[in-house]
Amino acid sequence: FPSHDTMDVSASMKDSGAIGTARDAAAALYETLSRAGVAVSVMVFNHFVSVPVPFGVPLGKAKSIISRIKSSGSTADYEALRHAHQMILRRPESRKVVFALTDGEGRPASARKQIDIGTRAGVTTVGIGIMTNVGHVYPDSIRVDNLSDLASASFNRIKLAA
């Protein structure tokens, strides 16, 4: 299955100190999934949406790019989810998963609607709340305060999503 890791890089992530945890989590997810043979890409969003790590980037280069990601601006979570769902739906694999690493400070109602649209289209969307609970936006979510939380909690979600 392909995985599209969507990372919030808005100012609220910087202000709360969550951006470092988000970078660590994104790098760990990328490494774990790519070593398991999963096609992985990383999208970042603030008031813009971009894909600094497209599908097929080697692990070392991807981790280097992720480590340099900065945060600023507002939170275009709905737009990022819509774009991530559209990109992953173009992939040939039957299982499709989007991991959204975020503090949930965007447009929650619009993001929830997009998650529902993705679900109906066959995309599993898992919210990874960075230093916060994002269950109010992502029905399938976990909270990650540090990298050990990711190891213990999210990999169970990864198995369920696969």
Side-chain angles (χ1 to χ4, degrees), residues 2-75:
S3 169
H4 200 68
D5 300 340
T6 306
M7 189 166 95
D8 183 348
V9 295
S10 64
S12 64
M13 293 288 285
K14 179 180 178 183
D15 295 344
S16 69
I19 191 64
T21 302
R23 283 191 301 255
D24 292 346
L29 276 171
Y30 194 96
E31 180 171 2
T32 300
L33 292 169
S34 63
R35 288 184 190 265
V38 174
V40 185
S41 72
V42 177
M43 172 188 291
V44 296
F45 66 95
N46 49 21
H47 49 284
F48 296 107
V49 177
S50 65
V51 183
V53 184
F55 289 105
V57 172
L59 176 60
K61 183 175 181 180
K63 289 174 79 172
S64 175
I65 293 167
I66 292 167
S67 73
R68 294 188 311 267
I69 291 173
K70 306 280 188 237
S71 58
S72 68
S74 59
T75 309

Side-chain angles (χ1 to χ4, degrees), residues 2 5 15 41 56 58 61 65 70 74-75 81 89 93 95 101-102 111 120-121 127 133 137 149 152 159-161:
D5 300 340
D15 295 344
S41 72
K61 183 175 181 180
I65 293 167
K70 306 280 188 237
S74 59
T75 309
L81 288 169
L89 283 168
E93 298 89 349
R95 290 287 294 149
L101 293 85
T102 183
R120 287 193 303 273
N133 181 344
V137 180
D149 291 341
S152 63
K159 285 188 238 174
L160 290 174

